[in-house]
Amino acid sequence: MQCGQTVALFRLELPVRWRDLDAYDHVNNSQFLSYIEEARIQWFGSLPGPWRDAAAEPILAAAQINFRRPITYPATLVIELQTARIGTTSITVNHTIVDASDADTLYSDGNSVIVWVSPQSGRPVPLPEVVRQAAERGL
Amino acid sequence: MQCGQTVALFRLELPVRWRDLDAYDHVNNSQFLSYIEEARIQWFGSLPGPWRDAAAEPILAAAQINFRRPITYPATLVIELQTARIGTTSITVNHTIVDASDADTLYSDGNSVIVWVSPQSGRPVPLPEVVRQAAERGL
Amino acid sequence: MQCGQTVALFRLELPVRWRDLDAYDHVNNSQFLSYIEEARIQWFGSLPGPWRDAAAEPILAAAQINFRRPITYPATLVIELQTARIGTTSITVNHTIVDASDADTLYSDGNSVIVWVSPQSGRPVPLPEVVRQAAERGL
Amino acid sequence: MQCGQTVALFRLELPVRWRDLDAYDHVNNSQFLSYIEEARIQWFGSLPGPWRDAAAEPILAAAQINFRRPITYPATLVIELQTARIGTTSITVNHTIVDASDADTLYSDGNSVIVWVSPQSGRPVPLPEVVRQAAERGL
């Protein structure tokens, strides 16, 4: 968006469904997290190696999200992920949601912290190498 | 939670539904926003006067949410709202989600910014008086 | 409802959530299946023995549902399950959704066919004994 | 599917979202109704005239749905609507859900009854002419 020089980690084009609306006739706020989740999971699925295994799985630790303008139906969205920060056991991802027919129509921006944890202990574990490398290319 | 002296704006007891789970067998992250929305709307509904009319309606402008531990099924939750800040056209509300059977089990905390806007222009308008008074009692 | 002499397999009282509404300001049709699912899963959970194991798990094979009148918010519902038919590998369950404050307000009725299958082969397997016994008491 | 000579009222290609899954790692049964609803609403939107106005709006009166096989993620679906019956105030629509990459993979079939009613009285009113004509072409 604002800075053309950043590199997207992942871009997903996604059609809004009518059921995403709520009684105010706008896409419900909780749905924004589902859109971002769909981009995140498709990004993981696009990586050239395992992003989860028996010893490490990603969990969403925190999310901050700004609702910039209401999304109406019908619409096609573009959800874009960018690397904000790479830690030892976590990454922070910036995300924007814009309109597919007009990238200047910013519906939402924000960021999410994803931590890899041991499914057994729930304790943080080092980032999978394939995730770290992809995130570094997105810096 | 931490500070027994704070006053809750609103407390909602809510049963988790099985459909709130996702394929990881935990309540999905987007559902947390729906739980908080349910508490917010029931709080509005409990006010002794109009909290929206033809000239002013609330919209969610931003949310920050920490996912402290996974919620499994079955469970009954308590969602609690507290006043964080009162502005001219908006309020910021802190929210916690704990287990109804054990208030020390903190599933989530965070805050949300709610702005009153004109449905016509989309521009911010002053808080309804009934909202301001309720929020002040919660300070 | 109509016939006071039938025995309920299970009754669930469930509050409607605001997010269950769609842009028509009524509970969305898909949500009715989630309400019935919640009653079914709580019924299974109430049985005095295993209703699924490594060799047999229930799947929904078919559902028929009538939408008798719109559900608005707020409301508390009662979902009631009754045995319609017991087969070798499946049961058919009748379900009604009424208003908790007025059992004559029928929102929906219909029925669902639940088949127990082998998770490995996907082929039907005999009903668990605990399910058969509970369903027979509901006849 | 089986009969190549039938004419589709509408065909929608729709990507499954990860959030459509439930804790059994399959698309949840309620989601099937949302898929069919999305096709129905896009069909209405494609009509060359008004399908609802101040005097007549469509409501879903009944649905019958068979769950033929589980839908896993990722997948792209094709939802197809066909005219089953045209009444004075209602239409019955057959619907199938197949895999976009293999039309022989039938996930679901069934039918829905849609009635046009007066928003004021809730009583049935004649089908909008644009709906009748479209449905007749689909016979």
Side-chain angles (χ1 to χ4, degrees):
Chain A
M1 317 297 104
Q2 302 96 316
C3 15
Q5 64 270 49
T6 58
V7 179
L9 268 185
F10 198 75
R11 280 169 59 91
L12 172 66
E13 200 166 306
L14 192 75
V16 170
R17 297 177 188 165
W18 189 79
R19 182 60 186 112
D20 298 343
L21 302 175
D22 62 29
Y24 289 171
D25 211 16
H26 296 146
V27 169
N28 183 260
N29 65 86
S30 70
Q31 210 60 48
F32 287 62
L33 285 184
S34 293
Y35 295 157
I36 294 161
E37 169 184 80
E38 185 64 26
R40 188 169 61 237
I41 285 182
Q42 292 200 23
W43 170 50
F44 288 157
S46 75
L47 295 177
W51 51 276
R52 64 183 303 216
D53 58 27
E57 66 180 14
I59 61 165
L60 186 62
Q64 196 283 324
I65 185 160
N66 302 310
F67 303 93
R68 299 293 185 182
R69 69 176 71 191
I71 304 176
T72 53
Y73 176 88
T76 302
L77 307 173
V78 172
I79 300 111
E80 190 171 299
L81 307 181
Q82 293 180 337
T83 306
R85 185 183 161 277
I86 306 175
T88 307
T89 63
S90 71
I91 54 171
T92 304
V93 171
N94 288 333
H95 32 72
T96 54
I97 303 178
V98 300
D99 199 282
S101 66
D102 172 16
D104 288 334
T105 299
L106 178 68
Y107 292 119
S108 173
D109 52 10
N111 62 75
S112 297
V113 181
I114 304 138
V115 184
W116 268 256
V117 297
S118 156
Q120 286 73 45
S121 70
R123 298 263 181 72
V125 295
L127 282 184
E129 197 51 32
V130 71
V131 173
R132 170 176 303 282
Q133 285 174 10
E136 281 172 352
R137 277 193 302 276
L139 268 181
Chain B
M1 322 291 101
Q2 304 94 315
C3 17
Q5 63 270 51
T6 58
V7 180
L9 269 184
F10 197 75
R11 282 169 56 92
L12 173 65
E13 200 166 307
L14 192 75
V16 171
R17 298 178 187 163
W18 189 78
R19 182 59 185 113
D20 298 342
L21 302 175
D22 63 27
Y24 289 171
D25 210 16
H26 297 145
V27 169
N28 184 260
N29 64 85
S30 71
Q31 209 60 47
F32 287 62
L33 285 184
S34 293
Y35 294 156
I36 295 160
E37 170 184 79
E38 186 64 25
R40 189 169 60 238
I41 285 183
Q42 292 200 23
W43 171 51
F44 288 158
S46 76
L47 295 177
W51 51 274
R52 64 182 304 218
D53 59 27
E57 64 179 17
I59 60 165
L60 186 62
Q64 195 283 326
I65 185 160
N66 302 309
F67 303 93
R68 299 294 185 184
R69 71 176 72 189
I71 304 176
T72 53
Y73 176 89
T76 301
L77 306 174
V78 172
I79 300 112
E80 189 170 300
L81 307 182
Q82 294 180 334
T83 305
R85 185 184 162 275
I86 305 176
T88 308
T89 63
S90 70
I91 53 172
T92 303
V93 171
N94 288 332
H95 32 70
T96 53
I97 303 177
V98 301
D99 200 282
S101 66
D102 172 16
D104 288 333
T105 301
L106 177 69
Y107 292 119
S108 173
D109 52 10
N111 62 76
S112 296
V113 181
I114 304 140
V115 184
W116 268 256
V117 298
S118 156
Q120 286 74 44
S121 70
R123 298 260 183 74
V125 295
L127 283 183
E129 196 52 32
V130 70
V131 173
R132 170 176 304 281
Q133 284 175 10
E136 281 172 353
R137 278 194 301 277
L139 269 181
Chain C
M1 323 288 103
Q2 303 93 317
C3 17
Q5 64 270 48
T6 57
V7 180
L9 268 184
F10 198 75
R11 281 170 57 93
L12 172 66
E13 200 166 307
L14 192 75
V16 170
R17 297 177 187 165
W18 189 79
R19 182 57 185 116
D20 298 343
L21 303 175
D22 63 27
Y24 289 171
D25 211 15
H26 296 146
V27 169
N28 185 259
N29 64 84
S30 70
Q31 209 61 47
F32 287 61
L33 285 185
S34 293
Y35 295 156
I36 295 160
E37 169 184 79
E38 185 64 25
R40 189 169 60 238
I41 285 182
Q42 291 199 25
W43 171 51
F44 288 157
S46 74
L47 295 177
W51 51 275
R52 65 183 303 218
D53 59 27
E57 65 180 14
I59 61 165
L60 186 63
Q64 196 283 326
I65 184 160
N66 302 310
F67 304 93
R68 299 294 184 182
R69 70 176 72 191
I71 304 176
T72 53
Y73 177 89
T76 301
L77 308 173
V78 172
I79 300 111
E80 189 169 300
L81 307 181
Q82 294 180 335
T83 306
R85 186 184 161 276
I86 306 176
T88 309
T89 63
S90 70
I91 54 171
T92 303
V93 171
N94 287 334
H95 31 72
T96 53
I97 303 178
V98 301
D99 199 282
S101 65
D102 172 16
D104 288 334
T105 300
L106 177 67
Y107 292 119
S108 173
D109 53 8
N111 61 75
S112 297
V113 181
I114 304 139
V115 184
W116 268 256
V117 298
S118 156
Q120 285 74 44
S121 70
R123 298 262 182 73
V125 296
L127 282 184
E129 197 50 33
V130 71
V131 173
R132 170 176 303 280
Q133 285 175 8
E136 282 172 352
R137 278 193 301 276
L139 266 181
Chain D
M1 320 288 101
Q2 304 94 317
C3 19
Q5 64 270 48
T6 58
V7 180
L9 270 184
F10 197 76
R11 281 170 56 93
L12 173 66
E13 200 166 309
L14 192 76
V16 171
R17 298 177 187 164
W18 188 78
R19 182 59 185 113
D20 299 343
L21 303 176
D22 63 27
Y24 289 172
D25 210 16
H26 296 146
V27 169
N28 184 259
N29 64 84
S30 71
Q31 209 60 46
F32 287 62
L33 285 185
S34 293
Y35 295 156
I36 295 160
E37 170 184 78
E38 185 64 24
R40 190 170 60 238
I41 285 183
Q42 292 200 22
W43 170 51
F44 288 157
S46 75
L47 295 177
W51 51 275
R52 65 183 301 219
D53 59 28
E57 64 179 19
I59 60 165
L60 186 63
Q64 196 284 324
I65 185 160
N66 302 309
F67 303 94
R68 298 294 184 182
R69 71 176 71 190
I71 305 177
T72 53
Y73 177 89
T76 301
L77 307 173
V78 172
I79 301 112
E80 189 171 299
L81 307 181
Q82 293 181 335
T83 306
R85 185 184 162 276
I86 306 176
T88 309
T89 62
S90 71
I91 53 172
T92 303
V93 171
N94 288 332
H95 31 71
T96 53
I97 303 178
V98 300
D99 199 283
S101 66
D102 172 17
D104 288 335
T105 300
L106 177 68
Y107 292 119
S108 173
D109 52 10
N111 62 75
S112 297
V113 181
I114 304 140
V115 184
W116 267 257
V117 297
S118 156
Q120 285 74 45
S121 70
R123 298 260 183 72
V125 295
L127 281 183
E129 197 50 34
V130 71
V131 172
R132 171 176 302 281
Q133 285 176 9
E136 281 172 353
R137 278 194 301 276
L139 268 182

